[in-house]
């Protein structure tokens, strides 16, 4: 079963509090999501393998380290996942970015895919699926199935806030996928919203309603 990592770094938790706050306006919300994504990128990449590399410093030749192994692909789920991409790219600037467009039907909560565009070599990449919200889990589940159908082999899921219901869906459907969260909340309400949550992530990022 995939592991759930709740990233409890104090800076992440501090900023998440202001992201949750209903008084935080669009501009500040966007900036905070961007900053938390960058901090989460630092934690999520902690176990990437390194290999030795000889480097000539101005003083001598030294044995140094560089990243080894698979290259990274970031896969934001549109729309809200886009709000976390730039923060991630600041730490992983060479990552390729693929997009999966999904919206959740407000009545049934079922996701509908309307767009997908991926790097051509996803089977060789370590993919990080990005969405601020993991609620029923339907959207992330569909996105991951879609990626696997197209050859993806190594996938991690990164969300700001999750409900236990969504975590369970991903763990059952994709036991090979580790989940990285800033917070694991209490549950879903009758409208499929995470509580306490942060409201509608897409609307708060883009000022829509
Ligand atoms: C939100 C959110 C997730 C999804 C989570 O997107 O960004 O993609 O809901 O819910 P789930 O786990 O129950 O599927 P939404 O459908 O509101 O689309 P948007 O990002 O375009 O606003
Ligand atoms: N989508 C959101 O944006 N927020 C929730 O709480 C649940 C789904």
């Amino acid at each position: 079963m995939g592991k759930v990592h709740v990233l409890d770094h104090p800076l992440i938790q501090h900023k998440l509090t202001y992201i949750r706050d209903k008084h935080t306006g669009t501009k500040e919300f966007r900036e905070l999501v961007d900053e938390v994504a960058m901090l989460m990128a630092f934690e999520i990449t902690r176990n990437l393998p390194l290999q030795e590399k000889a480097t000539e410093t101005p003083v001598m030749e030294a044995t140094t380290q560089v990243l080894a192994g698979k290259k990274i692909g970031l896969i934001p789920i549109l729309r809200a996942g886009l709000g976390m991409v730039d923060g991630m790219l600041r730490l992983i600037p060479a990552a390729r970015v693929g997009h999966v467009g999904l919206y959740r039907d407000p009545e049934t909560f079922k996701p509908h895919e309307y767009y997908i565009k991926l790097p051509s070599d996803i089977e060789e990449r370590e993919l990080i699926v990005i969405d601020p919200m993991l609620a029923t889990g339907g959207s992330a589940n569909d996105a991951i199935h879609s990626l696997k159908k197209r050859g993806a082999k190594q996938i991690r899921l990164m969300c700001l806030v999750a409900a236990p219901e969504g975590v369970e869906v991903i763990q059952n459907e994709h036991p090979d996928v580790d989940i990285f969260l800033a917070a694991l909340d209490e549950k879903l309400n009758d409208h499929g919203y995470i509580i306490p949550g942060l409201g509608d992530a897409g609307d708060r990022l883009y000022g829509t309603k």
Side-chain angles (χ1 to χ4, degrees), residues 79-80 104 131-136 139 161 163 185 187-189 191-204:
R79 291 176 294 173
R104 195 175 79 149
D131 193 325
M133 311 308 282
L134 181 65
T136 64
S139 303
V161 178
D185 276 11
K187 59 179 180 176
L188 296 176
N189 69 12
H191 304 287
Y193 274 80
I194 300 173
I195 54 173
L198 53 79
D200 188 305
D203 283 347
R204 294 197 65 195

Side-chain angles (χ1 to χ4, degrees), residues 30 35 84 86 97 113 156 195 203:
R30 208 182 281 149
E35 288 166 13
M84 300 175 77
D86 285 351
V97 182
E113 187 177 298
R156 303 168 188 211
I195 54 173
D203 283 347

